[in-house]
């Protein structure tokens, strides 16, 4: 198993901060934060997680469960000789950072997560729960119940799909029948405004044209397995935590975050889902300011 890893601020050995991307993303999604974090005295470590970029892409679906994904991050710390680090996650990266902190609490000293709050485990497996509430066309459910269908559509329309996905200020529209992300991949005209230049978008397009989408979608195909793997874990996150929401993000906020993450501080930015790319300066400022406060507490 090999990870493609980008880093900055190596002179700051001893202050590691690991940035974990979401889906369908890439280590490049943290490009705006890396220089400021290095300048603030951190050794910034940015992996393409398994299934992405030039990192390994195992073929078994179960190789993408939370034990493997969090194990990769532990192995990354071991590679650099770090006992622990601050972990930052966005979207699926946030889900992995929550899981890593539950499974390996001694390897995480602080948590910063964007968009995706802590998910209470509940009594019903997550995909089953989503299917009951949101139906079979909801993308988490669709990825599990119809494996390979969406993957093929995304791969046929990689550039168009990612162009249409990475938008901001998207106007509200009536829900269309069918699976929303498949519809998005097939839409010839994007809505809203782009969040990145054509050159920046090309980095993502090139990566997914090379890797395809199945390996990254396999993360979704382990959601219920992860639910089972976390059954006997202490569900409380004790580490100091910063939760950053976009107030126009479609991802729902947690109504009981502090019950499970008692040492949490919440920041809300005026943006949608792609927080660190839509509001790069504000995101960086929120992270650096919070980290400085932790250092003086």
């Amino acid at each position: 198993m090999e990870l493609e890893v980008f880093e900055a601020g190596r002179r700051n050995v001893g202050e590691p901060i690991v940035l974990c991307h979401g889906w369908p993303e890439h280590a490049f999604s943290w490009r705006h934060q890396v220089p400021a974090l290095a300048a603030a005295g951190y050794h910034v470590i940015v992996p393409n997680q398994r299934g992405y970029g030039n990192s390994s892409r195992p073929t078994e679906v179960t190789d993408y469960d939370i034990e493997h994904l969090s194990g990769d991050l532990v192995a990354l710390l071991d590679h650099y000789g770090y006992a622990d680090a601050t972990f930052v996650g966005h979207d699926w990266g946030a889900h992995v950072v929550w899981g890593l902190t539950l499974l390996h609490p001694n390897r995480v000293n602080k948590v910063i997560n964007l968009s995706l709050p802590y998910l209470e485990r509940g009594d019903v497996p997550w995909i089953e729960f989503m299917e009951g509430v949101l139906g079979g066309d909801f993308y988490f459910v669709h990825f599990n119940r119809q494996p390979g269908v969406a993957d093929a559509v995304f791969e046929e329309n990689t550039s168009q799909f990612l162009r249409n996905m990475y938008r901001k200020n998207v106007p509200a529209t009536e829900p269309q029948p069918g699976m929303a992300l498949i519809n998005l991949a097939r839409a010839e005209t994007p809505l809203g405004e782009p969040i990145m230049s054509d050159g920046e978008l090309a980095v993502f397009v090139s990566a997914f044209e090379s890797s395809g989408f199945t390996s990254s979608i396999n993360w979704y195909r382990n959601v219920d397995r992860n639910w089972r793997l976390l059954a006997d874990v202490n569900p409380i996150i004790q580490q100091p935590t910063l939760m950053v929401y976009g107030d126009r993000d479609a991802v729902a906020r947690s109504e009981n975050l502090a019950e499970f993450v008692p040492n949490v501080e919440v920041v809300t930015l005026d943006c949608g889902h792609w927080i660190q790319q839509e509001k790069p300066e504000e995101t960086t400022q929120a992270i650096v300011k919070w980290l400085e406060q932790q250092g003086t507490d």
Side-chain angles (χ1 to χ4, degrees):
M1 179 65 208
E2 292 185 358
L3 291 184
E4 178 181 27
V5 179
F6 304 87
E7 59 181 315
R10 288 196 71 168
R11 66 190 180 281
N12 305 315
V13 165
E15 288 292 335
I17 188 166
V18 182
L19 311 182
C20 303
H21 63 77
W23 182 87
E25 293 187 275
H26 187 280
F28 189 62
S29 64
W30 296 107
R31 62 196 174 280
H32 301 294
Q33 285 69 47
V34 170
L37 288 169
Y42 288 89
H43 178 196
V44 189
I45 302 166
V46 196
N48 266 327
Q49 297 181 82
R50 69 166 63 196
Y52 287 85
N54 292 318
S55 293
S56 296
R57 298 191 294 275
T59 54
E60 289 295 320
V61 171
T62 52
D63 284 340
Y64 296 88
D65 68 22
I66 193 63
E67 285 188 346
H68 286 90
L69 296 175
S70 61
D72 289 344
L73 299 178
V74 169
L76 195 57
L77 294 188
D78 292 344
H79 170 79
Y80 286 107
Y82 289 131
D84 58 21
T86 297
F87 282 86
V88 186
H90 169 252
D91 180 79
W92 251 107
H95 187 65
V96 173
V97 170
W98 294 125
L100 167 72
T101 310
L102 293 175
L103 292 167
H104 304 277
N106 60 324
R107 306 308 295 267
V108 181
N109 58 49
K110 289 182 282 293
V111 173
I112 301 171
N113 275 333
L114 283 59
S115 179
L116 189 79
Y118 180 97
L119 289 177
E120 182 179 352
R121 187 171 172 276
D123 299 324
V124 179
W126 284 317
I127 295 297
E128 191 180 321
F129 176 80
M130 291 177 193
E131 189 167 26
V133 174
L134 299 164
D137 279 330
F138 182 62
Y139 68 107
F140 272 76
V141 180
H142 190 285
F143 287 160
N144 278 274
R145 302 294 188 242
Q146 300 188 51
V149 174
D151 318 29
V153 175
F154 300 158
E155 284 166 23
E156 285 166 19
N157 303 279
T158 298
S159 179
Q160 183 169 283
F161 173 53
L162 295 174
R163 177 202 66 179
N164 293 349
M165 175 74 92
Y166 290 125
R167 313 293 288 188
K168 61 184 178 181
N169 300 327
V170 175
T173 53
E174 287 292 318
Q176 300 297 311
M179 198 277 218
L181 292 182
I182 290 177
N183 294 344
L184 187 71
R186 289 175 168 157
E188 293 183 8
T189 306
L191 300 175
E193 304 156 31
I195 64 165
M196 61 180 92
S197 70
D198 289 346
E200 290 170 321
L201 180 61
V203 174
F204 293 83
V205 172
S206 173
F208 281 99
E209 283 180 342
S210 174
S211 68
F213 285 87
T214 296
S215 54
S216 63
I217 292 174
N218 281 342
W219 290 35
Y220 290 88
R221 297 183 176 126
N222 282 280
V223 168
D224 279 357
R225 180 178 171 85
N226 295 346
W227 181 86
R228 291 189 291 274
L229 288 169
L230 294 172
D232 299 322
V233 176
N234 179 349
I236 306 301
I237 301 247
Q238 297 291 358
Q239 285 81 347
T241 300
L242 175 66
M243 180 67 219
V244 182
Y245 291 113
D247 62 4
R248 288 182 262 167
D249 193 347
V251 177
R253 290 173 174 243
S254 168
E255 294 178 5
N256 59 347
L257 185 61
E259 284 181 36
F260 292 92
V261 192
N263 299 307
V264 69
E265 183 176 327
V266 175
V267 168
T268 302
L269 300 179
D270 179 21
C271 60
H273 181 66
W274 313 107
I275 296 173
Q276 76 271 34
Q277 298 185 85
E278 286 185 48
K279 292 287 184 182
E281 291 171 16
E282 293 89 336
T283 302
T284 304
Q285 189 176 9
I287 290 171
V288 171
K289 179 181 173 186
W290 183 81
L291 287 168
E292 285 173 355
Q293 288 171 344
Q294 301 313 302
T296 57
D297 287 352

